[in-house]
Amino acid sequence: MAKMQTFTIYVLIIISFFILSNFLEGQLIEQMYKPLSGSTKEEFSYNGEKTDLDLEVIDAKATRMNGVLTVRVTNNTSQKIDKAYLRTDLFAKKDIKALVRYIEINDLEPGQSKDYKLKFRAGYVDTYKVAVKEDFPDEDYIFEIFGYEINTKSIFGLDLSKYIDAQAIKQAGFNGITSVFEFFGKIGHRFVVAAQSVPWWGYVGALAIIAGII
C-alpha cells in the first residue's frame, strides 16, 4: 500500500513536470517570434469601380516554421462591401514566394472595421504583401489538410483538378476529419518536445525510483 502511494506521488510529480515543461515551452516559442516587414495595397476594383479600403497590419510575426498576421480592414467608402478577398503573399528572404493565402471579407458596412487573422505554416518568412482583391481565382480548386492548403490546379506543378474534386472533399467533411488527426498530432508533438527537454539524469532518476517501488 505504501509503495502504491509513493508511486502515485511520483506519477503526480511527473505530470506536474510535464505541464510545467509545456508552459515553459510556450513561453520559449513566444520569444522565438520575430516581427515581419511588408507593405499593403488598399486600392482595388469593386463592381467595376476603383475603391479604397484602409488596411492596417496590427500584428505580423513568425518563427522559422510558422507565424501569424492580423490585418484590420476599414471600409472608408460610402458603399457596403458584400464580398471581397484579402490576399496575403508571404516571402522568404524578401524575394522567394513562400505562400499565398486568401481570406474572405464580407458584409463590411461603410465606416466599419474588422480584424482578419491569418495563421500560416511556412519556413523563414520575413516579409509580406497584403492587398484586397475582388475575386479568389482558384477558390473552387482548394481544400485544406492538416492545416495546409492544397490547390488541385498546382500539385507539384501539375494540374490535377480533373482528377481531384476539391469541392467534393470539402463537402465530405475531410477538413473536420483531418483536424482530429491534427489535434492528436499536436498533442504527440508537444509530448515529444517535452520529453526531449528532460535531461538524461532525470530519466535515470525516474527509472531508479520506479525500480525501487517495484
Side-chain angles (χ1 to χ4, degrees):
M1 186 66 179
K3 287 186 176 181
M4 182 59 67
Q5 290 178 344
T6 304
F7 178 76
T8 303
I9 291 173
Y10 284 121
V11 168
L12 292 176
I13 291 174
I14 293 172
I15 293 174
S16 300
F17 178 76
F18 177 74
I19 295 173
L20 178 61
S21 298
N22 276 268
F23 173 76
L24 295 176
E25 176 200 349
Q27 296 299 310
L28 178 61
I29 290 175
E30 185 63 30
Q31 294 177 5
M32 291 172 60
Y33 278 96
K34 304 298 181 183
L36 304 178
S37 60
S39 61
T40 60
K41 182 181 179 182
E42 301 175 342
E43 182 183 284
F44 75 111
S45 177
Y46 186 70
N47 292 333
E49 299 182 3
K50 287 187 177 180
T51 306
D52 283 339
L53 298 180
D54 284 338
L55 302 181
E56 180 186 0
V57 178
I58 60 178
D59 189 22
K61 58 187 179 182
T63 67
R64 289 186 176 184
M65 297 302 297
N66 52 52
V68 60
L69 188 142
T70 305
V71 182
R72 180 166 294 158
V73 181
T74 302
N75 184 2
N76 58 3
T77 72
S78 59
Q79 64 173 325
K80 177 182 178 181
I81 305 299
D82 294 311
K83 188 176 183 179
Y85 295 91
L86 194 67
R87 171 174 168 151
T88 301
D89 292 73
L90 301 172
F91 299 87
K93 299 182 179 179
K94 298 184 179 179
D95 58 357
I96 302 174
K97 185 171 288 188
L99 191 68
V100 178
R101 281 291 182 93
Y102 285 80
I103 301 177
E104 185 175 314
I105 300 171
N106 50 43
D107 299 327
L108 193 62
E109 300 286 348
Q112 184 181 17
S113 297
K114 289 184 179 181
D115 292 349
Y116 297 88
K117 178 180 287 188
L118 169 65
K119 293 183 178 180
F120 59 86
R121 297 180 181 179
Y124 299 93
V125 169
D126 55 15
T127 56
Y128 61 83
K129 289 183 180 179
V130 179
V132 181
K133 301 290 183 180
E134 188 173 14
D135 300 313
F136 183 176
D138 294 338
E139 182 177 12
D140 294 336
Y141 302 99
I142 291 176
F143 66 95
E144 186 174 312
I145 177 171
F146 297 112
Y148 294 92
E149 282 190 353
I150 306 297
N151 188 338
T152 59
K153 291 183 70 69
S154 180
I155 298 179
F156 300 111
L158 301 176
D159 184 354
L160 302 180
S161 57
K162 294 181 180 180
Y163 310 101
I164 303 175
D165 189 339
Q167 294 301 309
I169 293 175
K170 289 180 182 178
Q171 293 173 4
F174 195 68
N175 290 346
I177 296 172
T178 56
S179 66
V180 174
F181 286 103
E182 183 178 6
F183 170 77
F184 285 107
K186 287 180 179 179
I187 296 297
H189 173 71
R190 293 180 69 84
F191 180 80
V192 170
V193 170
Q196 290 175 341
S197 66
V198 178
W200 64 268
W201 49 263
Y203 287 106
V204 173
L207 289 173
I209 291 170
I210 293 174
I213 293 173
I214 296 175

